């Protein structure tokens, strides 16, 4: 039922949560107009779908539910920064302890220690009871531009990945959810960085030696920025063993030159959740990072100039073959070119292939890149989802959770080999990465 109706429920939450007169008074006129226009926009999507197909949304041109989701997410991200807290007025404690157990009761029952608080800014999604120091602990930082609260689909997808792990890997893996403060509540970056540092160091103090940072979008930015933060401490530190970066927001604000024809910010303006007109606002940077340098390596890893491999060569996560990086992004996402450019410096990711409407090569090999054991480089497993949009793994692939629950109800465990690798592009590839490296 949730799988079929979640687009409508999300729209209802988006509208109804802000329907109280007091909350409307808090919102800007621009955000109110976006809210009021959303039902009409959804109607247009439905009519276009049945008349012309999905049109601009290439990946989902035959999936009405995902076309609706995409339009809703675009609207949510379009509201003013300070109104972001009203889009998801729930707390993460309520989401994790009340909403998700209601939606996915079977999955939650199979997650030991689910919902227990670890420290003031984190909750366990999975806490293995007899954890050894070498057992992996994943710290997950959610996306949402630092101004929108976690969506249920992000937790659903994350729990699904855990349930799909091979049994021996699953028994050793714990997952910690970072409940960082939002800029829409008046906490600009690097508040979130310091919260992550507190949680990371508490895990180290408890003897954990295998800590993995995982994040989508802004959470990917936070994970990358934390490695820069550790470098800037200029003392002996323990770096994460792995980074898992899902559509990472590596360049805080695009430049006018990025909006030219042939660039992903221009090409995918009507295809993606992320739009140039929304993310190019200089005014918004004040709310996100305060008065810090927007072109520093810490604040904007992909926006710092001049760009140099030397910025990353001294960070083991990008230069040591004893460390692993998983990177995934979409062909049709606006961040695409920013991610490719940043990865070319930070990870020695190969560039030269073109994507989308400007692609000159139909070679499938350009959509994946795997490197292991190369001196001077971290191990890298990278994927570009063909026609994929921003953060598709966590916002559009969570339907797999109900498939997993159905298997559990029959007393079976869904094997990753039996999952559709095209429909669940990101989830299958990340699960395989974890099975191979954890």
């Amino acid at each position: 039922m949730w799988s079929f109706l979640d687009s409508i429920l999300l729209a209802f939450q988006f509208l109804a949560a802000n329907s109280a007169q007091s909350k409307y008074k808090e919102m800007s006129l621009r955000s109110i107009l976006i809210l009021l226009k959303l039902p009409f926009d959804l109607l247009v999507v439905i009519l276009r779908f049945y008349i012309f197909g999905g049109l601009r949304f290439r990946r989902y041109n035959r999936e009405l539910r995902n076309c609706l989701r995409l339009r809703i997410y675009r609207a949510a991200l379009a509201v003013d920064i300070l109104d972001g807290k009203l889009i998801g007025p729930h707390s993460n404690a309520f989401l994790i302890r009340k909403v998700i157990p209601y939606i996915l009761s079977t999955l939650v029952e199979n997650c030991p220690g689910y919902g227990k608080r670890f420290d003031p800014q984190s909750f366990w999604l999975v806490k293995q009871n007899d954890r050894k120091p070498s057992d992996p602990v994943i710290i997950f930082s959610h996306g949402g531009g630092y101004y929108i609260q976690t969506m249920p689909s992000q937790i659903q997808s994350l729990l699904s990945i855990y349930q799909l792990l091979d049994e021996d890997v699953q028994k050793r893996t714990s997952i910690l959810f970072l409940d960082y403060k939002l800029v829409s509540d008046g906490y600009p970056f690097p508040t979130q960085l310091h919260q992550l540092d507190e949680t990371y160091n508490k895990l180290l103090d408890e003897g954990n030696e295998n800590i993995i940072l995982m994040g989508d979008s802004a959470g990917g930015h936070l994970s990358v920025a934390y490695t820069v933060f550790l470098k800037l401490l200029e003392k002996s530190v323990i770096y994460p063993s792995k980074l898992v970066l899902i559509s990472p927001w590596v360049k805080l604000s695009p430049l006018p030159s990025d909006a030219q024809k042939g660039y992903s910010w221009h090409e995918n303006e009507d295809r993606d959740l992320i739009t140039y007109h929304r993310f190019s606002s200089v005014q918004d940077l004040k709310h996100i990072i305060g008065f810090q340098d927007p072109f520093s390596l810490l604040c904007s890893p992909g926006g710092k100039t001049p760009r140099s491999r030397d910025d990353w060569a001294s960070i083991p996560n990008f230069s040591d073959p004893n460390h692993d990086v998983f990177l995934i992004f979409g062909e049709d996402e606006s961040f695409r070119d920013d991610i490719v450019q940043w990865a070319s410096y930070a990870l020695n990711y190969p560039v030269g292939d073109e994507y989308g409407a400007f692609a000159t090569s139909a070679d499938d090999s350009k959509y994946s890149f795997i490197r292991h054991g190369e001196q001077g480089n971290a191990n890298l497993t990278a994927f570009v989802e063909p026609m994929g949009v921003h953060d598709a793994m966590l916002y559009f692939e969570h339907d797999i959770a109900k498939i997993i629950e159905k298997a559990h109800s029959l007393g079976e465990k869904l094997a990753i080999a039996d999952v559709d690798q095209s429909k669940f592009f990101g989830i299958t590839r990340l699960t395989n990465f974890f099975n191979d490296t954890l």
Side-chain angles (χ1 to χ4, degrees), residues 261-389:
K261 187 175 182 179
Y263 290 81
S264 60
W265 279 103
H266 178 275
E267 178 185 346
N268 297 325
E269 174 75 8
D270 294 324
R271 297 174 179 167
D272 195 25
L273 288 66
I274 306 293
T275 64
Y276 175 83
H277 294 292
R278 180 65 188 84
F279 276 72
S280 59
S281 170
V282 177
Q283 181 68 18
D284 288 343
L285 288 179
K286 180 184 71 175
H287 298 303
I288 296 171
I289 61 172
F291 296 98
Q292 296 184 89
D293 182 359
F295 299 105
S296 70
L297 198 66
L298 184 69
C299 290
S300 187
K304 182 259 183 185
T305 56
R307 300 179 179 90
S308 172
R309 169 63 180 164
D310 292 339
D311 290 330
W312 307 97
S314 59
I315 301 177
N317 293 102
F318 305 97
S319 58
D320 187 341
N322 293 311
H323 292 260
D324 297 280
V325 177
F326 178 94
L327 173 66
I328 188 169
F329 54 97
E331 182 177 25
D332 281 4
E333 72 167 286
S334 297
F335 285 171
R336 185 194 68 211
D337 291 349
D338 292 344
I339 295 171
V340 169
Q341 187 179 59
W342 167 78
S344 71
Y345 290 96
L347 293 162
N348 276 329
Y349 178 82
V351 296
D353 286 318
E354 294 177 319
Y355 301 99
F358 298 93
T360 57
S361 169
D363 186 0
D364 288 342
S365 65
K366 72 178 182 179
Y367 293 104
S368 64
F369 177 77
I370 298 175
R371 179 187 64 222
H372 290 289
E374 184 178 297
Q375 193 63 32
N377 287 303
N379 299 325
L380 175 61
T381 302
F383 295 100
V384 182
E385 181 178 6
M387 297 184 291
V389 297

Side-chain angles (χ1 to χ4, degrees), residues 154-170:
Q154 293 167 286
I155 305 295
Q156 289 175 273
S157 296
L158 192 57
L159 294 182
S160 298
I161 291 167
Y162 171 75
Q163 297 295 337
L164 289 169
L165 293 174
D166 292 342
E167 189 171 345
D168 61 321
V169 176
Q170 192 179 88

